[in-house]
Amino acid sequence: MRRYYFPIFHNGETKADDVGELFRSAELAVQYGARVARDIAGDPEYRRGAGTVVIVVDASDAEIARHRVGSITTAV
């Protein structure tokens, strides 16, 4: 299992993820990041147009995916 981190870029600021989550593969971490983005988009208090992005980063600090909140597009 490897640790992946999910910092969130919102309103021009990045909220770090200092804890992360353990996954068996990068693919599972990318799927989890997409789920986090969907959860944020589903929050009735989420402000559309905030430019929110969930970033998936591996333990070596390499970015492996980005999920724009409110979009199904994923860059890996």
Side-chain angles (χ1 to χ4, degrees):
M1 301 263 280
R2 294 185 179 198
R3 187 165 301 276
Y4 295 87
Y5 300 89
F6 303 88
I8 297 173
F9 181 78
H10 177 75
N11 280 335
E13 296 183 19
T14 301
K15 168 84 168 127
D17 174 7
D18 297 327
V19 178
E21 299 284 338
L22 293 173
F23 292 96
R24 290 186 184 141
S25 70
E27 182 179 331
L28 292 173
V30 170
Q31 291 173 8
Y32 177 79
R35 186 174 341 128
V36 171
R38 283 192 304 272
D39 288 350
I40 293 169
D43 183 336
E45 294 185 25
Y46 172 67
R47 195 181 100 232
R48 308 280 181 237
T52 305
V53 177
V54 177
I55 304 164
V56 183
V57 179
D58 68 14
S60 66
D61 206 30
E63 181 179 315
I64 59 172
R66 284 181 173 240
H67 301 280
R68 181 174 298 263
V69 173
S71 171
I72 59 170
T73 304
T74 302
V76 178

